[in-house]
Amino acid sequence: MSESGKTVVVALGGNAILQPGQVGTFEEQLVNVDTAMRRIAAMVAGGWEVVLTHGNGPQVGNLLIQQELASGQVAPMPMDVCGAMSQGQIGYMLEQTLQNHLVKRRLKTPVVSILTQVAVDARDPAFANPSKPVGPFYDETRAKTLMLEQGHAMREDAGRGWRRVVPSPEPVEIIPREAIRDLVADGVLIICSGGGGIPVVRGRDRALSGVDAVIDKDLAAMRLALDVEAEVLMILTDVPQAYVDYNTPEQKALSQVTESEMRAYAAAGHFKAGSMGPKVEACLRFTAAGGRSIIANLKDVVPALEGNAGTHIVPD
Ligand code: ADP
Ligand code: MG
């Protein structure tokens, strides 16, 4: 795995931080993150320049619940601020555990996490169709109050209660991209764009302001990989590969797939929207721009980089 000087953008799925069934104590999250960072340190030891990004679903969900439940005593913060809080929380844990693993290996790579705003287009069609459920479940009365008083879009979620839905617009511009590029060139290991970034829009005077939305973290990782001119985009998740006919008796793992084959599988609906769908889309766009894209299990980082695990999307 000696790949001196090559840049890889690694996107960590939510499971690397908090696993289903865990309650989400700090200790649980720290153990998960520590295991993940041991694997990232192995990539650094192999000579890769790593740029790290991560999901924030469970963490930002918990912050939104805290805002709601404490709203009688503490003024609730809007979604963009909760996104920033989650980047701080997760960035801190990743930064510390990764630094510790690098020191153990006598590597001097500095690790820095960056609070990252990501611009979206205020005219993105997603704003007309909020689709991403976030935060706590509400009963109908409270849901209708929030719709009236706060203007939130709320939707009934399969008998489980009402939930707020927000737009999921495309990432257009990672705001501090020049700074990120310079730091990467200086050999700094950057953690950025967590949770897809803090969504902001540019006004007519180019001024930035936060919006209530969620940017898909895999699409933001693709944007980041293009911006830092990475050789590889690696999306790490909780399944070893992408499959066609997933969860059916015909299920078939994809090891190496060409761009046009993968596009055809995606068009045929093999990859679920909101989970594998955006990963495949991110990889397709990165491969189309000339990069190498990999979807793999967090456990398999090293063999996946060597081409011996995961799903590899290659040019036609
Ligand atoms: P992450 O937190 O890593 O982004 P997601 O839950 O969003 O994880 O996406 C990974 C999940 O995608 C897998 O756990 C799997 O259940 C689901 N999935 C949907 N379609 C497929 C497919 N065709 N192949 C593999 N996994 C799939
Ligand atoms: Mg996901």
Side-chain angles (χ1 to χ4, degrees):
M1 201 192 44
S2 193
E3 294 282 348
S4 223
K6 286 199 177 169
T7 304
V8 54
V9 168
V10 179
L12 281 182
N15 272 298
I17 311 165
L18 190 57
Q19 275 148 25
Q22 295 186 323
V23 290
T25 63
F26 174 67
E27 289 73 19
E28 278 172 344
Q29 298 193 46
L30 198 64
V31 168
N32 297 335
V33 162
D34 187 71
T35 306
M37 291 308 100
R38 182 159 40 78
R39 300 190 165 115
I40 301 301
M43 294 171 84
V44 178
W48 287 89
E49 306 265 7
V50 177
V51 180
L52 199 55
T53 184
H54 58 84
N56 71 345
Q59 291 76 17
V60 82
N62 287 346
L63 285 165
L64 291 168
I65 293 171
Q66 288 174 337
Q67 306 308 306
E68 166 68 13
L69 293 183
S71 62
Q73 283 187 51
V74 182
M77 290 296 125
M79 271 198 76
D80 53 330
V81 177
C82 291
M85 290 192 225
S86 76
Q87 285 187 352
Q89 172 190 350
I90 300 166
Y92 161 59
M93 289 193 286
L94 295 174
E95 193 175 308
Q96 187 181 71
T97 50
L98 180 53
Q99 241 149 14
N100 290 344
H101 282 292
L102 293 172
V103 166
K104 260 188 224 161
R105 289 174 175 268
R106 302 188 187 291
L107 293 166
K108 294 206 166 66
T109 317
V111 183
V112 175
S113 54
I114 294 181
L115 221 50
T116 318
Q117 302 175 69
V118 174
V120 300
D121 186 342
R123 291 158 307 180
D124 191 303
F127 284 104
N129 176 33
S131 61
K132 173 91 185 164
V134 289
F137 287 94
Y138 298 99
D139 62 34
E140 190 171 341
T141 317
R142 177 75 185 142
K144 298 216 155 130
T145 308
L146 287 169
M147 285 166 85
L148 277 172
E149 287 179 0
Q150 314 275 333
H152 291 176
M154 309 282 291
R155 204 173 285 163
E156 219 274 321
D157 189 332
R160 292 188 296 172
W162 289 69
R163 232 174 153 198
R164 183 170 183 200
V165 282
V166 296
S168 190
E170 287 265 331
V172 174
E173 182 195 349
I174 296 185
I175 299 297
R177 66 178 163 196
E178 276 82 21
I180 291 171
R181 220 183 272 150
D182 290 351
L183 286 163
V184 170
D186 280 348
V188 181
L189 196 162
I190 296 297
I191 301 165
C192 65
S193 193
I198 304 162
V200 296
V201 291
R202 271 194 201 282
R204 247 185 291 171
D205 52 0
R206 303 205 29 91
L208 299 171
S209 55
V211 285
D212 286 358
V214 171
I215 302 170
D216 182 82
K217 75 120 186 3
D218 297 310
L219 293 180
M222 176 269 302
R223 193 64 263 161
L224 177 65
L226 294 175
D227 284 350
V228 301
E229 294 171 14
E231 272 78 21
V232 180
L233 169 63
M234 184 174 223
I235 300 182
L236 297 176
T237 185
D238 58 353
V239 283
Q241 290 178 299
Y243 301 87
V244 287
D245 297 313
Y246 182 60
N247 263 344
T248 73
E250 280 78 51
Q251 171 174 307
K252 190 173 139 275
L254 301 168
S255 296
Q256 179 152 322
V257 204
T258 66
E259 212 184 303
S260 49
E261 276 176 317
M262 202 61 168
R263 212 170 274 290
Y265 289 141
H270 285 283
F271 314 115
K272 218 175 135 208
S275 60
M276 191 49 70
K279 296 183 202 310
V280 168
E281 182 59 30
C283 290
L284 280 170
R285 292 198 219 165
F286 188 66
T287 299
R292 236 175 95 197
S293 304
I294 308 171
I295 298 168
N297 190 292
L298 174 61
K299 292 189 188 74
D300 299 327
V301 265
V302 173
L305 272 173
E306 289 165 343
N308 299 320
T311 295
H312 297 250
I313 295 127
V314 298
D316 288 344

Short mmCIF file of all heavy atoms in Angstrom, two decimals, residues 216-218 274-275 279, ligand 2:
data_model
loop_
_atom_site.label_atom_id
_atom_site.label_comp_id
_atom_site.label_asym_id
_atom_site.label_seq_id
_atom_site.Cartn_x
_atom_site.Cartn_y
_atom_site.Cartn_z
N ASP A 216 -26.30 15.87 1.44
CA ASP A 216 -25.86 14.47 1.51
C ASP A 216 -24.34 14.42 1.69
O ASP A 216 -23.60 15.03 0.93
CB ASP A 216 -26.28 13.73 0.24
CG ASP A 216 -25.87 12.28 0.32
OD1 ASP A 216 -26.61 11.51 0.95
OD2 ASP A 216 -24.78 11.93 -0.19
N LYS A 217 -23.88 13.66 2.69
CA LYS A 217 -22.45 13.67 3.00
C LYS A 217 -21.60 13.00 1.90
O LYS A 217 -20.45 13.38 1.70
CB LYS A 217 -22.17 13.04 4.37
CG LYS A 217 -22.26 11.53 4.43
CD LYS A 217 -20.97 10.89 4.86
CE LYS A 217 -20.93 9.38 4.82
NZ LYS A 217 -22.01 8.57 4.35
N ASP A 218 -22.19 12.05 1.17
CA ASP A 218 -21.42 11.38 0.11
C ASP A 218 -21.24 12.30 -1.09
O ASP A 218 -20.17 12.33 -1.71
CB ASP A 218 -22.10 10.06 -0.28
CG ASP A 218 -22.13 9.08 0.90
OD1 ASP A 218 -21.06 8.88 1.51
OD2 ASP A 218 -23.21 8.55 1.21
N GLY A 274 -31.11 7.69 -0.55
CA GLY A 274 -30.85 8.04 0.85
C GLY A 274 -29.85 7.13 1.55
O GLY A 274 -29.44 7.41 2.67
N SER A 275 -29.45 6.01 0.92
CA SER A 275 -28.40 5.18 1.54
C SER A 275 -27.33 4.83 0.49
O SER A 275 -26.35 5.57 0.35
CB SER A 275 -28.98 3.94 2.22
OG SER A 275 -29.67 3.11 1.31
N LYS A 279 -24.19 7.22 -2.58
CA LYS A 279 -22.79 6.77 -2.63
C LYS A 279 -22.41 6.44 -4.07
O LYS A 279 -21.35 6.83 -4.56
CB LYS A 279 -22.60 5.53 -1.75
CG LYS A 279 -22.85 5.78 -0.27
CD LYS A 279 -22.57 4.54 0.57
CE LYS A 279 -23.30 4.61 1.88
NZ LYS A 279 -23.13 5.85 2.63
MG MG B 2 -25.84 7.58 4.56
#
